[in-house]
Amino acid sequence: MPRNSVLACGAALALLAAATFAADKVPSVPVHFEKGSSSASMKGSLSGYDSVEYSLGAKAGQTMTVKITGSSNANFNVFAPGEKPGASTAIGTGSVGTDWSGTLPKSGDYTIQVFQMRASARRAEAVPFTIAFEVR
């Protein structure tokens, strides 16, 4: 095989590998409560290794409750202000049928990451969900 053909095949394989290992989708969605309300609910969907990060402002000492319904593969983690998924430890976790509620340690924007576990992500399963937030 001519040298140029070998180089072209190698370049094509490198591009294919890069596309295969492309970054997962991680949209960031701000959560806003209607005036006079202390709760909000949002629908979403993800698949494979994608996740969704919701951001929600709250004050130290308030109580946050997070509930998720939909696919049994939907899970979530709650991160304190300044903490990020993949770099920090979550202050709370939950899944369908397992809500999380806790007193917030500091004021700022909390991140709630919705994801699915690796076994179902590997199969690229679709995960529709509804997530509800309450802060009092």
Side-chain angles (χ1 to χ4, degrees):
M1 185 181 290
R3 188 174 202 295
N4 288 343
S5 295
V6 171
L7 290 175
C9 286
L13 287 173
L15 287 173
L16 180 61
T20 302
F21 295 106
D24 302 318
K25 293 180 194 170
V26 185
S28 182
V29 181
V31 177
H32 302 286
F33 295 156
E34 294 290 327
K35 188 173 182 174
S37 178
S38 61
S39 63
S41 170
M42 304 179 91
K43 290 182 183 242
S45 182
L46 56 92
S47 65
Y49 290 97
D50 296 345
S51 62
V52 180
E53 292 180 5
Y54 293 94
S55 61
L56 172 63
K59 295 181 180 175
Q62 289 184 305
T63 300
M64 181 187 293
T65 301
V66 182
K67 299 177 183 184
I68 196 163
T69 59
S71 170
S72 62
N73 292 328
N75 299 275
F76 66 86
N77 290 323
V78 180
F79 294 89
E83 306 294 323
K84 294 292 175 198
S88 307
T89 301
I91 62 169
T93 64
S95 59
V96 173
T98 306
D99 304 340
W100 175 82
S101 187
T103 302
L104 303 178
K106 58 185 180 178
S107 297
D109 290 334
Y110 284 78
T111 299
I112 299 87
Q113 172 199 41
V114 179
F115 65 97
Q116 66 177 317
M117 294 296 193
R118 192 169 86 181
S120 57
R122 199 179 290 143
R123 295 187 298 268
E125 293 186 18
V127 179
F129 61 88
T130 300
I131 188 161
F133 309 95
E134 182 178 50
V135 177
R136 295 195 180 268

